[in-house]
Amino acid sequence: MPDPAPTLVTGAAGQVGQDLLRHLVGRGVPVVAADLRPRPDGDPTLDAIPWHRLDVTAPGAVADLVGCLRPQRIFHLAAILSARGEQDPQATYRVNQTGTYNVLEACRIHGVPQCVFTSTIAVFGPGLPEVVPDDVPLHPTTMYGVTKVAGELLGAYYAQRYGLDFRGVRFPGLISASLPGGGTSDYALFMYYDGVRLGHYTAFCRPDTRIPLMYMPDAVAGLVDLALAPRTRLRRHVYNIAAFSPRADEIARSVQRALPGVRIDFEPDPERQAILDSWPRALDDTAARTDWSFRPRFDLDAMTDDLVPKVRALVHGRSAEAPSPAAAP
Ligand code: AKB
């Protein structure tokens, strides 16, 4: 019997990509990884996955790889996040906007049945209700948010025009035991990472900052559950998904419960604070729960208890002299 068509993951070396690959392998899915960056070292699961160097901004390269692999499904994750995106909006446009267009075109040209897209709470902008439903006017303030809105709309267009099975989630800020990749929600992860590494962290936001957050295992399981849900049950292409929405000082208290003695201070950075203040404080994900039974397992304290030992392992595998990524916007 021929091998089943693989699942292709773009942006595979990123924060979501690595956990998604491990999750797919755990579910027995044949998977192929693509990223501009090389395969991360030292993980036997990732070592066993075919790894292709791919620049998603190059249409020919994307079409060639997709044509050669003929995947049954693409998880399109390659993107530059909000904080890093504001340092170079032009590169962010190329990677996020042109990259998504190139992936959708490759799906069209080579008849890929399904494309799964990772959108974000950054699609929202100022003037939101306290709990934000799926359908509100979208007025993002970052290039990352603008390109994710465009990606949602482009995908829906390819579904309607070419029959592509396009699905996606709007991720909250994600937290996992890996180094963050240039997001504005990264203050939450740094409380754990620098808390373990240095015993203190100065957050770039106000203590009363509140945005939706989610632990990575719930994010990855949700993304795969959406991909596998029967199309007939889905009433939309892109869904809000939510887990918990703590204030920043509530995260600090949860970290300090697990790591007594850690000091967390707050020195808001005006630019990043403005981005955080433009995002939802809480999301309504009723449609995801109804249509494909999305149910996160972790609340804030359950995440803290699971995460702290993993962050310890991550930190102790690294040099204590490494410069703090907290310095990067
Ligand atoms: C970011 O902070 O840019 C991301 C996101 C909320 O999508 N983590």
Side-chain angles (χ1 to χ4, degrees):
M1 232 172 64
D3 287 344
T7 287
L8 173 64
V9 177
T10 74
Q15 192 193 9
V16 178
Q18 295 186 39
D19 280 296
L20 176 62
L21 291 175
R22 291 186 201 102
H23 183 97
L24 290 168
V25 169
R27 283 170 87 146
V29 174
V31 65
V32 176
D35 202 295
L36 201 52
R37 293 162 289 183
R39 182 202 314 269
D41 288 334
D43 182 317
T45 306
L46 301 187
D47 285 348
I49 295 173
W51 195 279
H52 295 264
R53 185 183 182 282
L54 180 67
D55 176 357
V56 291
T57 70
V62 177
D64 284 352
L65 182 64
V66 171
C68 167
L69 295 172
R70 302 268 166 182
Q72 59 171 309
R73 168 181 296 123
I74 299 179
F75 285 96
H76 175 45
L77 311 182
I80 296 177
L81 300 185
S82 57
R84 188 163 296 155
E86 291 312 290
Q87 294 177 325
D88 191 345
Q90 291 69 33
T92 305
Y93 184 89
R94 285 193 295 278
V95 172
N96 297 9
Q97 179 82 61
T98 309
T100 297
Y101 173 72
N102 290 341
V103 168
L104 291 170
E105 270 292 280
C107 288
R108 179 185 69 81
I109 293 164
H110 295 293
V112 177
Q114 189 188 77
C115 180
V116 185
F117 182 64
T118 48
S119 191
T120 163
I121 54 169
V123 296
F124 299 107
L128 296 165
E130 184 62 23
V131 180
V132 178
D134 292 292
D135 292 314
V136 292
L138 300 176
H139 297 296
T141 61
T142 61
M143 181 59 94
Y144 172 60
V146 168
T147 56
K148 287 293 185 178
V149 172
E152 290 187 7
L153 294 173
L154 259 182
Y157 175 81
Y158 274 69
Q160 167 229 302
R161 181 79 167 77
Y162 300 114
L164 175 67
D165 180 358
F166 177 81
R167 309 172 176 201
V169 293
R170 291 183 181 141
F171 276 143
L174 299 180
I175 303 179
S176 67
S178 63
L179 289 178
T184 312
S185 63
D186 289 352
Y187 67 86
L189 177 45
F190 279 126
M191 289 189 194
Y192 294 88
Y193 185 73
D194 277 2
V196 169
R197 198 174 78 100
L198 304 171
H200 61 86
Y201 172 62
T202 302
F204 53 77
C205 62
R206 289 190 316 269
D208 67 347
T209 304
R210 188 193 290 282
I211 62 166
L213 297 173
M214 185 177 286
Y215 192 31
M216 189 64 82
D218 282 332
V220 160
L223 192 64
V224 176
D225 287 347
L226 172 63
L228 299 180
R231 178 78 246 172
T232 48
R233 286 186 50 197
L234 305 183
R235 288 171 297 163
R236 355 179 7 96
H237 292 293
V238 179
Y239 288 83
N240 286 354
I241 55 171
F244 45 89
S245 276
R247 284 169 47 123
D249 55 3
E250 291 169 342
I251 308 170
R253 279 198 291 279
S254 187
V255 172
Q256 286 161 335
R257 180 185 56 76
L259 295 166
V262 165
R263 208 185 73 229
I264 295 176
D265 301 311
F266 295 88
E267 275 178 25
D269 166 71
E271 280 174 27
R272 282 179 284 178
Q273 185 69 56
I275 293 173
L276 292 166
D277 288 342
S278 77
W279 287 352
R281 289 163 61 82
L283 289 179
D284 178 353
D285 64 353
T286 307
R289 288 172 189 254
T290 307
D291 288 8
W292 46 280
S293 308
F294 174 69
R295 295 272 180 290
R297 287 169 42 230
F298 290 90
D299 62 14
L300 175 62
D301 283 335
M303 175 184 78
T304 298
D305 293 341
D306 195 72
L307 181 60
V308 164
K310 294 185 172 137
V311 174
R312 277 207 184 98
L314 175 74
V315 166
H316 294 142
R318 282 172 192 279
S319 159
E321 300 308 315
S324 171

